Amino acid sequence: MTLKQQLTDDMKTAMRGGEKDRLGVIRLILAAIKQREVDERIELDDVQTLAVLEKMVKQRKDSISQFEAASRQDLADIEKAEMKVIEVYLPAKLGDEEIDALITAAIAETGASSARDMGKVVAAVKEKAAGRADMGVVSSRIKSRLAG
């Protein structure tokens, strides 16, 4: 079962169960997926669908920080609840040791030796850790490893 099929099934289940909040978030997810499919005239696979979900989580995190800075905890709580529903569909996050192992393997694989090679290493790690690691954190770790 693809991720889109799972989302559709979960939407139907949420409708039958009367879970209005969860239903709304799932509909937002499906709308974002459909929008990207229409814009790019393609059918999204699971990897591309995960990218849409990651983008939605990142948007929620940004909104939460802005709402909390503006002392709007009520709106931040709504965003947190939406983020929890979206994260259910993302794969389990990698631990620190697993990320370090991926970085080490990518550095060896690409033959990177300086900060100039950072792009190649990030691309190699991103391919293997898609949806399972915060690439901002991974990039900073790669940068510190390549810097010395």
Side-chain angles (χ1 to χ4, degrees):
M1 176 184 291
T2 66
L3 190 53
K4 285 190 330 186
Q5 289 171 330
Q6 183 182 354
L7 283 161
T8 304
D9 290 347
D10 288 352
M11 179 181 69
K12 291 174 186 174
T13 303
M15 275 187 214
R16 286 187 208 110
E19 302 172 69
K20 290 182 180 180
D21 295 337
R22 186 166 179 262
L23 176 62
V25 176
I26 293 172
R27 282 182 171 159
L28 282 173
I29 294 169
L30 289 170
I33 292 168
K34 190 68 174 172
Q35 182 65 48
R36 182 154 174 222
E37 287 179 339
V38 169
D39 289 348
E40 298 179 18
R41 293 187 175 101
I42 58 171
E43 182 82 20
L44 295 184
D45 60 10
D46 279 352
V47 173
Q48 294 166 319
T49 302
L50 284 175
V52 171
L53 292 174
E54 287 174 1
K55 182 178 177 184
M56 292 179 79
V57 168
K58 186 175 187 299
Q59 289 171 338
R60 299 300 179 287
K61 286 180 181 177
D62 292 343
S63 296
I64 289 167
S65 65
Q66 290 177 4
F67 287 141
E68 287 176 345
S71 299
R72 290 297 309 263
Q73 193 59 43
D74 56 330
L75 296 174
D77 291 341
I78 292 170
E79 295 290 323
K80 287 178 185 176
E82 288 180 1
M83 194 168 72
K84 283 181 185 175
V85 173
I86 296 167
E87 286 176 338
V88 167
Y89 298 100
L90 292 173
K93 296 292 182 193
L94 294 173
D96 290 340
E97 301 82 25
E98 294 169 306
I99 292 172
D100 288 338
L102 281 176
I103 292 171
T104 302
I107 289 173
E109 182 181 304
T110 60
S113 59
S114 68
R116 290 183 304 179
D117 302 321
M118 187 171 161
K120 289 188 268 185
V121 177
V122 169
V125 171
K126 188 173 187 177
E127 182 179 307
K128 294 175 185 161
R132 300 184 309 153
D134 181 355
M135 290 311 293
V137 172
V138 172
S139 293
S140 64
R141 284 188 181 187
I142 292 171
K143 190 175 190 176
S144 66
R145 289 273 292 275
L146 292 176

